[in-house]
Amino acid sequence: MLLYRKKNPCLVSTYLAKTITMESMAKLWFMPVNVLFTFIFGLIFCWILIKVTAGAPTKLRGLILGCCSAGNLGNIFLIIIPALCKEKGSPFGAPDVCQTYGLAYSSLSLAIGAVFLWTGAYNIIRANSEVTEGDGNSPTTQTKALVSGSTTGVVTEENYPISRDHVVECALPLISNTTKTKVPLSERAKRITSSVSSAVDLKKLFAPSTISVIVGFIIGGTPLFRNAMIGESAPLRVLRESAELIGGGAIPSVTLIMGGNLITGLRGAASVPRSVIAGVVAVRYILLPLLGTVLVKAAVRFGIIQPDPLYQFILLLQYAVPPAMNIGTITQLFGVGESECSVIFVWVYALASVAVTVWSAFFMWTLS
């Protein structure tokens, strides 16, 4: 909780405030589009995977879709980028400049990934969990209701079980509404807002890391705030230095938590079909990186992306990362596929040490 609410937000906001300006905002517009591509093509490949692997259980479809579409676009970058910047012969320039801009890009990637995770993967898993609950052997029974006017409705009763060999029919009066009432525009806006808020969990969408990105953009993009907090002679630099001190413990904390979460999968007794695990690995470590290489290189060739090797590397690496760790949190919220998620994560993250290393070396070779 300390990492989620304090350390990560402080790390994100400080690095964004130091490196993001109004000019750089216009150059980073392609990153949200790139994350959208990873999400959409991950869903497409996963849909093909579900159709090919007929052995995928129905209750795991939401989990599989989430693992293939939402990648670890934040925490793993905060670990990899500082290490790569310190490597000798790195194509990213001076280590201190590389780390500053690299963590800023990683922070932006973390915030964008959180938006897609809690709007896309969250609702996909929620929808599939509701379908799974309805398909189970629940004591839900249906009672026919005959409505006058030759209309038949179905009434669902959960609290009062009815014998299967008895059908209860009841006549309901036909209620007709011949008058059409005009709905005011304000009422329509309220209904749309309520429907959107029910479909999207706004509390999860505006997570502390997302709010910290907004704060970082405001401080970095507003000259008044930037001059007051950024720089050695800034009058409010003590606030930035305090935030840097708190955020400095985020990266080691993320590493420890990531390792602790994987232990659950080693101890779990859930059985996941091998075809499902192999399919998720193929999508995340073969299909998406190959597609991402083509898309990013095409964008560079047509002048859509700025000629910054570090920025291009992060865009490429977004296609080659393992699934987001918060998918396990989402499965716990709905109580569907918790142990299966841990098993999938063990295999995927065990292979991530090899896959991410190989793809990182390949991406750096293409940029050198």
Side-chain angles (χ1 to χ4, degrees):
M1 189 61 69
L2 180 64
L3 174 67
Y4 177 72
R5 294 189 178 275
K6 294 184 179 180
K7 291 185 179 181
N8 252 351
C10 288
L11 180 71
V12 170
S13 59
T14 51
Y15 278 102
L16 279 178
K18 286 193 298 184
T19 56
I20 297 298
T21 59
M22 294 299 295
E23 293 78 13
S24 62
M25 286 183 188
K27 297 178 181 178
L28 299 177
W29 67 269
F30 188 77
M31 185 175 287
V33 178
N34 194 63
V35 176
L36 177 62
F37 285 160
T38 64
F39 190 84
I40 292 176
F41 286 108
L43 286 178
I44 294 174
F45 290 144
C46 185
W47 180 80
I48 298 173
L49 167 64
I50 292 175
K51 294 297 181 181
V52 172
T53 59
T58 305
K59 69 174 184 176
L60 296 182
R61 289 184 179 179
L63 173 61
I64 300 170
L65 288 167
C67 289
C68 292
S69 60
N72 192 336
L73 301 179
N75 296 338
I76 200 167
F77 284 86
L78 298 177
I79 299 172
I80 293 177
I81 297 303
L84 290 178
C85 289
K86 297 177 183 178
E87 289 290 330
K88 293 183 179 179
S90 171
F92 306 136
D96 53 346
V97 177
C98 170
Q99 181 166 345
T100 301
Y101 282 90
L103 287 176
Y105 296 154
S106 302
S107 302
L108 181 60
S109 176
L110 185 150
I112 298 171
V115 171
F116 281 93
L117 174 69
W118 292 107
T119 54
Y122 176 85
N123 289 290
I124 289 173
I125 297 175
R126 182 180 68 172
N128 283 270
S129 67
E130 291 173 355
V131 171
T132 303
E133 290 173 1
D135 292 340
N137 297 325
S138 60
T140 303
T141 57
Q142 293 180 343
T143 303
K144 290 185 179 178
L146 299 181
V147 183
S148 59
S150 68
T151 305
T152 304
V154 178
V155 179
T156 303
E157 297 184 1
E158 297 180 353
N159 299 327
Y160 302 97
I162 301 173
S163 177
R164 292 184 178 179
D165 50 359
H166 289 83
V167 178
V168 180
E169 297 183 357
C170 57
L172 298 178
L174 177 62
I175 301 174
S176 59
N177 186 11
T178 57
T179 60
K180 294 183 179 179
T181 58
K182 270 192 173 183
V183 181
L185 184 61
S186 59
E187 187 66 26
R188 292 181 184 178
K190 288 181 181 179
R191 291 180 182 178
I192 295 174
T193 305
S194 61
S195 62
V196 171
S197 61
S198 62
V200 179
D201 194 340
L202 297 179
K203 290 183 179 180
K204 298 295 188 305
L205 177 59
F206 290 98
S209 297
T210 307
I211 297 175
S212 66
V213 169
I214 298 174
V215 173
F217 272 124
I218 293 174
I219 296 175
T222 307
L224 178 63
F225 295 151
R226 185 178 183 84
N227 295 331
M229 299 184 66
I230 308 301
E232 295 299 329
S233 59
L236 299 179
R237 66 182 182 276
V238 63
L239 299 177
R240 174 182 56 83
E241 293 174 353
S242 301
E244 287 180 351
L245 184 63
I246 297 174
I251 296 176
S253 300
V254 166
T255 309
L256 293 174
I257 292 175
M258 187 178 298
N261 289 337
L262 297 179
I263 298 178
T264 309
L266 295 174
R267 298 175 179 175
S271 60
V272 180
R274 295 180 180 179
S275 58
V276 172
I277 298 176
V280 173
V281 170
V283 169
R284 294 244 50 116
Y285 296 145
I286 299 176
L287 298 178
L288 281 178
L290 291 175
L291 178 66
T293 304
V294 175
L295 292 176
V296 174
K297 290 300 180 182
V300 173
R301 184 172 182 179
F302 289 104
I304 300 176
I305 299 176
Q306 59 174 324
D308 182 0
L310 180 60
Y311 182 58
Q312 295 178 25
F313 175 78
I314 290 179
L315 293 178
L316 289 168
L317 194 61
Q318 286 177 342
Y319 290 91
V321 292
M325 293 296 296
N326 281 330
I327 292 178
T329 305
I330 296 174
T331 57
Q332 292 175 3
L333 290 175
F334 300 112
V336 177
E338 299 177 48
S339 55
E340 289 85 355
C341 178
S342 299
V343 173
I344 293 175
F345 272 29
V346 165
W347 288 99
V348 175
Y349 273 87
L351 295 173
S353 58
V354 178
V356 175
T357 303
V358 171
W359 283 111
S360 297
F362 175 74
F363 295 151
M364 292 176 69
W365 173 73
T366 59
L367 295 172
S368 60

